Amino acid sequence: MESRGEGPGPAGESSEMAAALRAAKQALRAELKRRLRALSEAEKQRQSRLLSRKVIGHSKYQESQRIAIFLSMQDEIETEEIIKDIFQRGKECFIPQYKPRSSHMDMVKLTSAEEISSLPLTSWNIHQPCDDDVREEALSGAGGLDLILMPGLGFDKSGNRLGRGKGYYDTFLERCMHHPKGKPYTIALAFKEQICDSVPVAENDIQIDEILYEDS
């Protein structure tokens, strides 16, 4: 059972602060989900096409060889065009493989853009390789990653990111920091409706290097 933090002293204060942070994040997640539900399919496609062009023209993308990218859910920027471009340019593409009932995620190698549709669907309706599908894991060798293109629910202009509460990306970025190659450059892809004045963050929430959206 969690301490309710009613007593005096630092422990009480810290648990009250943690509860307030959780509540602030939950409230913002609900607001962002409401904003995303209000977006039409045509508008999501319009912003996705625009963002794809921004990414493909970005100097960090062009100079990166090993790129991790998410496979989009319904309320996320569509990444299909970027993935096709990664393969057309002869770069290496890595996609998330989430471990259920944990905050662990690997980035595993994709062999082609066409392969995605044949991958099994998770409970979140995302294609990903099944657990017994053995593939190169981005951090397993010396190569590491050059760039991670990231999803999220909300972002602010200081680089703070609000995820969906599972901690997959924060945990993965922590592992990247211990890799010999070091932390890759991170770019989050967002609809302009996902940009907030400020995102509530905890100490272990890792800032994003750059947020790309329509007006950025």
Side-chain angles (χ1 to χ4, degrees), residues 139-192:
L139 303 182
S140 61
L145 286 167
D146 302 313
L147 173 66
I148 304 180
L149 297 167
M150 294 175 60
L153 260 185
F155 308 91
D156 64 27
K157 291 176 183 177
S158 301
N160 295 312
R161 170 183 174 272
L162 182 70
R164 293 172 189 271
K166 302 288 187 185
Y168 286 118
Y169 276 90
D170 286 317
T171 306
F172 184 75
L173 288 172
E174 190 69 38
R175 285 170 57 208
C176 289
M177 288 174 182
H178 295 103
H179 189 273
K181 193 162 186 175
K183 180 180 160 289
Y185 194 77
T186 50
I187 299 178
L189 307 183
F191 296 111
K192 60 184 178 183

Side-chain angles (χ1 to χ4, degrees), residues 45-46 52 66 69-70 82 85 90 108 112 118 130 135 143 162 165 172 179 185 211 214:
Q45 285 175 13
R46 185 190 70 79
S52 295
R66 291 166 63 88
I69 188 168
F70 60 98
I82 302 168
D85 189 78
V108 297
S112 71
S118 66
C130 55
R135 294 168 180 254
L162 182 70
F172 184 75
H179 189 273
Y185 194 77
I211 320 274
E214 182 171 11

Side-chain angles (χ1 to χ4, degrees), residues 7-216:
E13 287 169 17
S14 63
S15 65
E16 279 177 6
M17 284 166 67
L21 180 65
R22 274 197 305 274
K25 284 187 173 187
Q26 282 172 347
L28 186 54
R29 281 191 185 104
E31 162 64 16
L32 287 160
K33 285 176 181 176
R34 185 192 64 73
R35 287 188 207 172
L36 288 166
R37 278 196 300 271
L39 279 179
S40 68
E41 282 305 311
E43 177 59 14
K44 285 190 280 191
Q45 285 175 13
R46 185 190 70 79
Q47 290 194 44
S48 292
R49 283 194 297 271
L50 191 148
L51 263 285
S52 295
R53 290 197 296 273
K54 274 184 185 263
V55 169
I56 290 166
H58 197 290
S59 60
K60 287 287 185 185
Y61 171 80
Q62 290 178 359
E63 70 194 30
S64 294
Q65 181 60 27
R66 291 166 63 88
I67 299 172
I69 188 168
F70 60 98
L71 301 183
S72 315
M73 293 199 286
Q74 274 295 102
D75 58 357
E76 293 173 338
I77 291 287
E78 175 54 62
T79 57
E80 186 180 352
E81 290 307 311
I82 302 168
I83 292 169
K84 286 178 182 172
D85 189 78
I86 289 173
F87 284 102
Q88 282 166 5
R89 290 172 187 255
K91 299 174 183 289
E92 295 176 83
C93 185
F94 295 83
I95 59 170
Q97 187 179 46
Y98 302 97
K99 297 284 185 273
R101 296 176 294 281
S102 79
S103 61
H104 187 87
M105 170 183 77
D106 290 323
M107 288 290 182
V108 297
K109 195 165 188 178
L110 191 65
T111 58
S112 71
E114 293 71 35
E115 181 194 12
I116 294 169
S117 59
S118 66
L119 297 174
L121 283 168
T122 68
S123 58
W124 288 356
N125 218 29
I126 306 172
H127 289 283
Q128 78 167 30
C130 55
D131 283 344
D132 57 1
D133 185 344
V134 180
R135 294 168 180 254
E136 180 189 339
E137 201 279 300
L139 303 182
S140 61
L145 286 167
D146 302 313
L147 173 66
I148 304 180
L149 297 167
M150 294 175 60
L153 260 185
F155 308 91
D156 64 27
K157 291 176 183 177
S158 301
N160 295 312
R161 170 183 174 272
L162 182 70
R164 293 172 189 271
K166 302 288 187 185
Y168 286 118
Y169 276 90
D170 286 317
T171 306
F172 184 75
L173 288 172
E174 190 69 38
R175 285 170 57 208
C176 289
M177 288 174 182
H178 295 103
H179 189 273
K181 193 162 186 175
K183 180 180 160 289
Y185 194 77
T186 50
I187 299 178
L189 307 183
F191 296 111
K192 60 184 178 183
E193 288 77 10
Q194 293 177 279
I195 305 303
C196 311
D197 290 333
S198 69
V199 167
V201 288
E203 281 179 20
N204 62 332
D205 292 330
I206 297 171
Q207 281 192 319
I208 308 307
D209 293 313
E210 193 174 344
I211 320 274
L212 281 188
Y213 57 101
E214 182 171 11
D215 304 323
S216 65

